[in-house]
């Protein structure tokens, strides 16, 4: 099976000034919008439902179905919220999209808002990424100037305002209810569900929260049809998606392909592992998805196949690590991230990440004691399955999967510091001197 | 408490094999309680919205009611019950028990485990649950999280962040129940902590509740901290004496001294809350000025004398006075004590000159109390407030005057969509928190505003005691009720006022609502008491004071009154100086200063009795401490005086008084029809003149709060308020202080411009420390001259 790319979302990323309205239109942009306005909102929902589009933010929930949950008889305003709080280690697909082709998202936003009858949409973008936020804001200005946003869009009678909101630096705000709290100016902590956002979301009004990539996929579905979309991919994971490869590969980057592609194919396209090295492990979908190893290279990268391996497709972010990498070090860095990003609301996450970091730090320094690996697993088990939201499960997942495949390496942490066992400079992609030159 | 709504759909749930019926949607943790199963919890509190934060209450959901279970334990505090649900708690499910032990282990890894020096040790849910459900040994060998401790959240509250388990009960209470979200979570992850905005302390009237519901030792009060161990305390359930709300409280004493007070659980009254005044304001009689022996004044010198001597001096004076005597009780007495004074005045002194209103009052009010309040007619209750569609506040500020009424109104606003309208001169903080509609009303316009208000049968009008100061105000309320079929309730500030009315501590009113003007009523009581009663109308408080000042009153008996509580304190002093005062007091005061004889009386915690709250609900006061050298109760002293005067009250104890009162039926006959009092014309103001609006703030210069310095430090900043326009007209737009002058003197207060304020009015707290309005003889509706003390004009 040869690897085939299917550039839809990424198709225009390479063109000159791809982020401008002019260039986007020259590539056939906003054609889907006119087509959507000729349809009834519920027809748009059916089209998206039937295309098999599943949420690209990690959970893979069918997008059209989410839209159909919005109670249209609720007298309150409906809101569309686009989740662009991309903050997970490894995940890097939405921000390039905002940077390269913000109009793809805007077109998707207009069609999606039209489908759910929302007249205000928010694009919540991770606050640290200033350039994409500016691109997005400028693109929205252009869209308003061109009559693509505001009152009576393209004479359709449909009104829509779009607001870009910059987050304040919290991973948890990628969780949809925490995001809504943050948007409302409240503390970024997840809300109790039910009620679900579709019923009582932003300002207690019906709200759809979708990932950037999900919404950006909508124009192509409308333009080319559900069958075109559903014709790609596997039986239950239809269409195309962006795979993001990073780490010890020769050509890291975004690879847009239909579901069904294997890790081996993706790795080949990315130029393989650095010369002289072998794949040690990789994340299939960002740091919160349990890792896989070279044994899993032929796994089909879709929702079902990865679930079958006890992991998840997540955000399709493959962080690739070669044989120079210390798995203890990697795991500790990830868990430190979760500790830093824990919102503090619930006990397992707040206290559990605190504990895991201490256990792993000991192992990294070669100061572990006999039984510490079992204790690590035990503590992970203490934490898992009890939290308010899934954030801490990411921390648990990297620990348990790492121990599952590399237990011996963790046990070396009883006697030898990880940096002695696998010298850290060997896994660096750039030397310190290089870094200084580059900066 | 589970809200049991009639006709609610009931579902059957099986918990640990026990079937229970609960209203659909009841949280699993409540349903388990109904089945007699306690699930450990920290963040859950029945009166707060569910949070699901601590994750301690994990249970196994075997069947969600749809044939399917959950693979992993779920928190019982956020799981709503549905028909056919099967739940297993830690009692029957290993998975639930393990999940709970896991959470407890996690909660303890960063906990300082300083139980031996923690105030909560011994009554700590964390400690108890760690003992019951936790593992014996810790597996955590790392570094614990450290914070400097404790840090103050206010003068009253201290926070130990290391002990905190982030249950957010305190922040949710502050936000949801009291509407004072001055404490909040700050930072995140393991560094998350409760905090305040810098320099804005948690000065809520209800902050003490946060300490009480804290399930660990994180929140402590500066007053009680390190002063006792829970297992050394003896708890007594009693009733708070600080206002007419009738809160059930738990008085904790050690070795003859009350150490702290907590809110009791009375779902019908205070639920599980109480205000900070009720909780912390109980130390005023502990000072050096506590009187434990009868005293006699010789010139300016006080000498302790024996009980027989004191009694004989009092008796001599009373004999000489004949019927030129009067009794001023106060609103702080229990029903039984008030009744004893009432009976003593009528049967021993043979006078009707008794008045409990040691505060601004009027004859219109006396008539109102006799006809509208006395006699326990179907009173409005807290539950009625919760059921009402609309409530109108007339000269009534619930947050300051009856904090539990405030909390209940807020609950109804939040949960049941109650509409609150306030006839007030500005949007007070309390009204804001009630989401009230403000009908801007200057004091003198109250009668008109009452008449103009929209009310129907689903409306309850809440009337405050200051309305007595506006002629025609109470009359307008009565007329409004007749015209609109709205319900009405008068809510006094003091705990003993309803009791005093029932006991007949009014010149025109005998116990049980019997009017003095009705011969049958008097005859009835004569038969019951077995003695002849005076039939002439007595003198009320202001008449008594006037008479005394003129030297026409030979003896004045006072019970716990304060000159500063009246409208004009100088008038009180003038009266006291010109008569023979027999004072019943527990400590020296500005009244005892002028007394000839002072009888020391027992403190409330040393005696027993009843307070009738504004609903007419009896709150039992129980003896909490038993002192060796206790002064006598007022009932005992009055009984002795009666006997020395050759009479007999028939009882010497609170129980005896209660029995005697119980024999008196409620007057069922006709009530006098008082004259309708016309509202006075709205005054025309000269330049530089304003009308005073005022009420007493919860925390002010009240002598009951003496010694509770931390509590007083949380009171609201002292300030007068005027509107922006009025400030401009009065040349005060740039002033930071204002001088308020009457014929009797002037006060200088900080000035605040309030954008919601009605024009032509200046609002002043009635009794702020050092700024009592009574010191210049001014009350609600008075016209005063105002100017800026900084201006040249002011210096003239």
């Amino acid at each position: 099976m040869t690897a085939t790319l299917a550039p839809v979302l990424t198709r225009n990323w390479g063109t000159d000034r791809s982020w401008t309205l002019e260039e986007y239109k020259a590539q056939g942009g906003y054609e889907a919008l006119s087509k959507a306005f000729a349809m009834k909102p519920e027809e748009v929902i059916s089209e998206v439902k039937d295309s098999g589009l599943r949420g690209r933010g990690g959970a893979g929930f069918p997008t059209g179905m989410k839209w159909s949950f919005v109670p249209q008889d609720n007298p309150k305003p409906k809101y569309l919220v686009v989740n662009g709080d991309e903050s997970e280690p490894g995940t890097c697909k939405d921000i390039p999209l905002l940077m390269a082709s913000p109009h793809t998202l805007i077109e998707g936003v207009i069609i999606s808002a039209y489908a759910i009858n929302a007249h205000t949409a928010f694009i919540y973008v991770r606050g640290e990424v200033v350039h994409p936020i500016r691109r997005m804001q400028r693109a929205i200005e252009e869209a308003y100037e061109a009559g693509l946003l505001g009152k009576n869009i393209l004479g359709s009678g449909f009104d829509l305002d779009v607001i870009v909101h910059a987050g304040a630096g919290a991973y948890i705000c990628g969780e949809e209810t925490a995001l809504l709290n943050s948007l409302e100016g409240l503390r970024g902590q997840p809300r109790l569900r039910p009620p679900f956002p579709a019923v009582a979301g932003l300002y207690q009004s019906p709200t759809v929260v979708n990932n950037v990539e999900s919404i950006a996929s909508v124009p192509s579905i409308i333009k080319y049809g559900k069958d075109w979309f559903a014709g790609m991919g596997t039986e239950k994971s239809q269409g195309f998606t962006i795979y993001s490869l990073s780490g010890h590969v020769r050509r890291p980057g975004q690879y847009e392909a239909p579901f069904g592609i294997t890790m081996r194919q993706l790795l080949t396209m990315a130029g393989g592992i650095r010369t002289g090295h072998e794949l040690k492990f990789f994340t299939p979908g960002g740091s919160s998805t349990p890792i896989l190893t070279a044994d899993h290279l032929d796994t089909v990268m879709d929702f079902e196949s990865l679930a079958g391996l006890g992991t998840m497709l997540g955000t399709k972010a493959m962080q690739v690590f070669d044989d120079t990498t210390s798995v203890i070090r990697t795991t500790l860095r990830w868990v430190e991230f979760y500790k830093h990003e824990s919102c503090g609301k619930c006990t397992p996450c707040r206290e559990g990440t605190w504990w895991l970091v201490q256990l792993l730090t000991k192992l990294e320094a070669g100061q572990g004691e006999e039984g510490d690996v079992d204790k690590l697993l035990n503590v992970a088990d203490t934490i898992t399955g009890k939290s308010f939201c899934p954030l801490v499960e990411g921390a648990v997942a990297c620990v348990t999967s790492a121990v599952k495949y590399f237990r011996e390496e963790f046990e070396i942490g009883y006697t030898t510091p990880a940096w002695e066992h696998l010298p850290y400079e060997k896994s660096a992609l750039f030397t310190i001197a290089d870094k200084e030159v580059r900066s | 408490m589970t809200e049991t709504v009639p006709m609610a759909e009931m579902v059957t749930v099986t918990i640990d094999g026990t079937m229970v019926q609960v209203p659909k949607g009841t949280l699993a943790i409540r349903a388990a309680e109904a089945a007699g199963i306690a699930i450990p919890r920290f963040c859950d509190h029945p009166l707060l919205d569910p949070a699901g934060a601590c994750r301690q209450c994990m249970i196994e959901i075997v069947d969600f009611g749809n044939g399917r279970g959950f693979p992993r334990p779920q928190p019982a505090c956020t799981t709503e019950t549905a028909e056919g649900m099967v739940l297993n708690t830690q009692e029957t499910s290993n998975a639930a028990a393990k999940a709970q032990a896991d959470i407890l282990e996690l909660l303890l890894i960063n906990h300082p485990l300083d139980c031996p020096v923690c105030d909560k040790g011994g009554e700590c849910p964390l400690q108890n649950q760690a003992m019951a459900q936790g593992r014996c040994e810790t597996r955590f060998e790392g570094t614990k999280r450290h914070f400097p401790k404790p840090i103050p959240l206010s003068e009253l509250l201290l926070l130990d962040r290391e002990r905190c388990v982030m249950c957010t009960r305190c922040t949710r209470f502050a936000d949801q129940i009291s509407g004072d979200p001055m404490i909040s979570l700050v930072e995140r992850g393991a560094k998350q902590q409760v905090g305040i905005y810098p320099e804005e302390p948690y000065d809520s009237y209800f902050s003490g509740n946060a300490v009480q519901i804290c399930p660990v030792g994180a929140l402590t009060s500066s007053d009680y901290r390190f002063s006792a161990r829970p297992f050394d305390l003896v708890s007594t359930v009693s009733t708070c004496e600080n206002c007419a709300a009738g809160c059930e409280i738990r008085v904790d004493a050690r070795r003859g001294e009350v150490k702290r007070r907590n809110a009791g659980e009375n779902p019908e009254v205070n639920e599980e809350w109480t205000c900070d005044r009720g909780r912390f304001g109980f130390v005023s009689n502990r000072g050096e000025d506590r009187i434990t022996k009868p005293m006699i004044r010789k010139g300016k010198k006080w000498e302790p004398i024996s009980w027989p001597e004191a009694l004989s001096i009092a008796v001599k004076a009373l004999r000489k006075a004949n019927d030129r005597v009067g009794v001023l009780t106060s609103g702080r007495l229990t029903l039984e004590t008030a009744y004893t004074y009432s009976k003593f005045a009528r049967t021993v002194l043979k006078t009707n000159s008794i008045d409990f209103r040691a505060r601004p009052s009027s004859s219109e009010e006396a008539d109102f109390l006799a006809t509208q309040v006395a006699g326990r007619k179907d009173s409005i209750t807290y539950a009625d407030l919760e059921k009402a569609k609309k409530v109108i506040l007339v000269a009534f500020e619930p947050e300051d005057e009856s904090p539990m009424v405030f909390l209940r109104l807020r609950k109804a606003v939040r949960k049941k969509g109650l509409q609150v309208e306030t006839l007030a001169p500005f949007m007070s903080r309390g009204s804001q928190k009630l989401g009230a509609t403000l009908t801007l009303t200057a004091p003198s316009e109250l009668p008109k505003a009452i008449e103009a208000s929209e009310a129907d049968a689903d409306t309850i009008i809440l009337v405050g005691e200051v309305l007595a100061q506006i002629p025609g105000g109470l009359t307008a309320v009565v007329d409004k009720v007749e015209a609109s079929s709205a319900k009405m309730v008068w809510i006094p500030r003091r705990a003993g006022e309803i009791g005093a009315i029932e006991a007949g501590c009014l010149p025109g009113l005998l116990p049980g609502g019997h009017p003095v003007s009705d011969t049958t009523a008097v005859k009835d009581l004569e038969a019951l008491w077995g003695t002849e009663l005076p039939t002439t109308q007595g003198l009320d408080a202001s008449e008594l004071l006037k008479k005394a000042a003129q030297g026409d009153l030979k003896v004045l008996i006072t019970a716990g009154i304060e000159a500063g509580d009246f409208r004009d304190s100088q008038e009180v002093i003038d009266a006291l100086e010109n008569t023979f005062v027999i004072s019943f007091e527990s400590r020296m005061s500005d009244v005892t200063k002028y007394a000839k004889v002072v009888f020391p009386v027992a403190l409330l915690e040393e005696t027993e009795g009843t307070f009738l709250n504004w609903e007419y609900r009896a709150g039992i006061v129980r003896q909490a401490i038993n002192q060796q050298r206790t002064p006598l109760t007022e009932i005992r002293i009055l009984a002795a005086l009666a006997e020395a005067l050759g009479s007999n009250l028939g009882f010497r104890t609170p129980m005896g008084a209660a029995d005697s009162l119980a024999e008196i039926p409620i007057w069922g006959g006709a009530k006098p029809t008082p004259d309708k009092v016309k509202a006075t014309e709205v005054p025309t103001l000269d330049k530089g003149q304003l009308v005073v609006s005022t009420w007493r703030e919860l925390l002010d210069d009240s002598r009951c709060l003496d010694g509770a310095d931390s509590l007083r430090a949380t009171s609201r900043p002292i300030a007068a308020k005027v509107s922006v326009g009025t400030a401009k007209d009065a040349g005060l737009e740039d002033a930071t202080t204002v001088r308020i002058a009457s014929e009797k003197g002037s006060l200088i207060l900080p000035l605040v411009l309030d954008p919601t304020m009605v024009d032509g009015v200046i609002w002043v707290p009635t009794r702020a420390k050092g700024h009592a309005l009574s010191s210049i003889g001014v009350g609600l509706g008075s016209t005063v001259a105002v100017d800026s003390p900084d201006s040249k004009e002011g210096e003239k």
Side-chain angles (χ1 to χ4, degrees), chain B residues 437-481:
Chain B
T437 321
L438 171 66
T439 303
L440 268 187
T441 312
S444 40
E445 285 164 353
L446 273 166
K448 234 185 340 180
I450 295 161
E451 197 193 329
S453 62
E454 272 177 45
D456 59 25
D458 291 324
T459 306
I460 301 177
I461 301 173
L462 305 187
V463 183
E465 70 174 33
V466 292
L467 190 60
Q469 298 176 63
I470 301 299
L474 290 164
T475 305
V477 168
V478 175
D479 289 347
K480 186 74 199 174
V481 169

Side-chain angles (χ1 to χ4, degrees), chain B residues 31-350:
Chain B
E33 284 166 5
I37 299 156
I39 300 171
R41 82 287 303 265
F42 296 106
C43 69
D44 172 75
H45 189 285
L47 299 175
L48 301 175
D49 294 349
C54 76
R55 322 301 283 176
Q56 183 60 58
C57 61
M58 303 300 266
I59 53 163
E60 198 185 338
I61 301 177
V62 181
D63 183 343
F64 207 82
N66 55 8
R68 282 179 299 174
F70 264 96
R72 286 167 158 177
Q74 297 294 315
C77 73
T78 56
T79 301
E80 291 184 0
T81 46
E83 179 61 38
M85 237 182 187
V86 181
L87 308 171
N88 284 340
T89 74
Q90 73 280 358
E91 305 287 340
T92 54
S93 157
N94 287 335
K98 179 187 180 299
Q100 291 179 11
D102 286 349
I103 294 291
L104 208 47
E105 179 174 33
L106 291 168
L107 279 174
L108 291 175
I109 67 166
N110 272 317
H111 190 82
L113 302 174
D114 57 347
C115 309
V117 294
C118 178
D119 280 310
K120 201 79 176 183
E123 57 176 13
C124 174
L126 180 61
Q127 196 181 36
N128 294 345
Q129 286 171 34
M131 300 296 280
Q133 264 90 27
R135 301 194 174 102
C136 297
E137 280 173 38
T138 179
R139 295 184 293 163
F140 180 72
E141 292 159 346
T143 317
K144 282 184 191 264
R145 174 180 56 219
H146 286 295
F147 285 117
K149 62 182 194 175
I151 54 164
L153 295 180
S154 72
E155 287 286 321
L156 264 179
L157 260 62
L158 293 159
L159 170 67
D160 182 327
R161 290 167 291 178
E162 292 182 348
R163 292 179 188 154
C164 179
V165 293
M166 297 296 150
C167 70
T168 68
R169 278 188 187 180
C170 58
T171 53
R172 280 180 292 146
F173 168 82
D175 182 25
Q176 295 166 12
I177 306 296
S178 65
D180 293 326
M182 305 159 176
I183 48 170
S184 176
L185 292 175
V186 293
E187 302 293 344
R188 71 183 188 197
K191 286 185 188 155
Q192 183 179 248
Q193 53 193 274
V194 172
I196 49 171
Y197 190 77
E199 287 158 43
E200 282 185 20
Y202 180 36
D203 287 347
S204 164
Y205 285 166
F206 304 96
S207 66
N209 293 298
V211 178
Q212 189 174 346
I213 59 174
C214 180
V216 294
L219 288 173
T220 48
S221 72
S222 53
D223 279 20
Y224 170 70
R225 193 174 164 81
F226 299 141
S227 70
R229 303 314 309 259
F231 30 82
D232 291 334
L233 295 171
V234 177
S235 290
T236 308
V237 173
S238 192
T239 301
C240 181
E241 75 285 21
N242 270 289
C243 82
C247 289
E248 183 174 306
I249 53 167
R250 214 180 64 222
V251 181
D252 289 345
R254 188 191 61 177
R255 292 201 291 272
E257 193 181 354
V258 175
K259 290 307 222 181
R260 73 169 173 188
R261 308 206 313 188
N262 272 321
E265 277 188 43
N266 192 336
E268 291 176 319
V269 180
N270 54 314
E271 302 195 294
E272 296 179 30
W273 317 122
T274 193
C275 71
D276 284 1
R277 181 174 171 141
R279 187 184 298 271
F280 299 114
F282 62 89
V283 291
S284 61
N285 293 301
R286 305 287 168 66
E288 296 285 302
D289 55 352
R290 169 91 202 260
I291 312 164
T292 51
K293 291 195 177 97
M295 310 278 272
I296 181 152
R297 184 163 58 88
K298 292 185 174 162
K300 283 190 172 172
K301 258 186 73 196
W302 283 100
E303 275 175 23
I305 51 170
S306 70
W307 282 99
E309 272 181 286
L311 285 169
S312 75
I313 292 166
V315 164
K316 223 164 97 187
L318 286 169
R319 283 231 166 92
K320 220 162 79 186
N322 211 350
D323 67 343
R324 283 186 293 172
V325 294
V327 182
L328 281 181
T329 66
S330 65
R332 66 164 187 84
L333 306 178
T334 61
L335 174 64
E336 292 78 4
T337 306
Y339 171 70
T340 310
Y341 278 104
S342 176
K343 189 171 182 187
F344 182 80
R346 268 62 184 246
T347 64
V348 181
L349 303 179
K350 303 286 181 192

Side-chain angles (χ1 to χ4, degrees), chain A residues 168-172 187 189 192-194 339-352 354-355 358 362 369 372 375 378-379 381-389 393, chain B residues 50-55 58 72-74 78 98-100 102-103 105-107 109-110 135 139-146 164-166 184-193:
Chain A
Y171 171 63
I172 187 61
R187 197 172 161 73
Q189 290 194 326
L192 197 60
R193 284 181 293 196
K339 177 193 166 195
H340 183 256
E341 295 297 341
S342 168
C343 79
K345 179 167 184 153
C346 74
T347 309
C349 181
R350 181 183 67 239
E351 309 294 339
W354 173 278
W355 195 352
Q358 294 201 17
K362 243 172 93 184
E369 289 159 51
D372 270 4
K375 189 167 167 181
N378 223 306
V379 171
D381 179 58
T382 299
I383 298 164
T384 193
K386 304 175 185 76
S387 56
F388 191 91
C389 84
E393 299 302 336
Chain B
C54 76
R55 322 301 283 176
M58 303 300 266
R72 286 167 158 177
Q74 297 294 315
T78 56
K98 179 187 180 299
Q100 291 179 11
D102 286 349
I103 294 291
E105 179 174 33
L106 291 168
L107 279 174
I109 67 166
N110 272 317
R135 301 194 174 102
R139 295 184 293 163
F140 180 72
E141 292 159 346
T143 317
K144 282 184 191 264
R145 174 180 56 219
H146 286 295
C164 179
V165 293
M166 297 296 150
S184 176
L185 292 175
V186 293
E187 302 293 344
R188 71 183 188 197
K191 286 185 188 155
Q192 183 179 248
Q193 53 193 274

Side-chain angles (χ1 to χ4, degrees), chain B residues 427-670:
Chain B
M427 185 63 104
S428 66
R429 196 165 110 182
S431 296
Q432 220 169 355
K433 288 185 277 188
L434 293 175
T437 321
L438 171 66
T439 303
L440 268 187
T441 312
S444 40
E445 285 164 353
L446 273 166
K448 234 185 340 180
I450 295 161
E451 197 193 329
S453 62
E454 272 177 45
D456 59 25
D458 291 324
T459 306
I460 301 177
I461 301 173
L462 305 187
V463 183
E465 70 174 33
V466 292
L467 190 60
Q469 298 176 63
I470 301 299
L474 290 164
T475 305
V477 168
V478 175
D479 289 347
K480 186 74 199 174
V481 169
E482 270 169 24
S484 66
S485 71
K487 297 180 198 79
M488 178 274 290
V489 63
W490 177 77
I491 304 188
R493 280 183 59 247
R494 292 175 181 79
E497 296 218 346
I498 298 286
I501 295 165
E502 261 343 84
C505 291
L506 276 170
L509 203 62
L510 295 164
H514 290 68
V516 171
S517 56
D518 193 303
T519 13
T520 324
V522 176
K523 286 264 177 303
D524 285 355
L525 270 184
E526 281 178 341
L528 276 166
W529 278 344
T531 181
E532 213 168 285
L533 294 179
T535 48
T536 48
Q537 182 89 10
L539 304 176
D540 71 11
S542 53
E543 289 163 342
L544 277 172
L545 293 175
K546 219 169 280 166
K547 265 256 155 66
Q550 291 159 358
D552 292 342
L553 194 74
K554 292 301 164 199
V555 174
L556 181 64
I557 294 177
T558 66
I561 66 164
E562 270 306 305
D565 283 348
F566 289 82
R567 191 170 166 115
D568 186 338
S569 50
Q570 192 53 47
E571 266 179 28
V572 182
I573 306 286
D574 290 346
L576 298 174
E577 276 184 318
N578 289 299
T579 185
F580 187 101
V581 177
I582 301 172
S583 174
F584 289 74
E585 258 301 353
S586 54
R587 56 193 282 240
M588 291 309 232
S589 74
D590 57 356
V591 171
T592 60
K593 213 178 348 179
Y594 301 100
K596 293 288 186 318
V597 190
V598 180
F599 287 108
V601 302
L603 304 182
L604 196 67
E605 63 238 37
E606 296 163 350
T607 179
E608 52 194 6
T610 310
F611 281 127
L612 294 181
N613 76 350
W614 64 270
E615 309 168 282
Y616 267 89
R617 191 191 301 272
I620 309 299
V621 175
R622 292 187 181 83
Q623 189 175 352
I625 53 173
N626 198 358
Q627 284 190 341
Q628 294 297 319
R629 293 184 304 110
T630 185
L632 302 177
T633 63
E634 282 150 290
I635 297 174
R636 182 69 190 83
I637 302 168
L638 288 168
L641 265 181
E643 284 159 33
L645 285 162
S647 184
N648 190 350
L649 286 178
F651 52 81
R652 293 172 168 188
T653 61
M655 285 293 272
D659 290 345
S660 170
L661 178 60
E663 285 172 14
I664 301 172
I666 302 303
W667 172 245

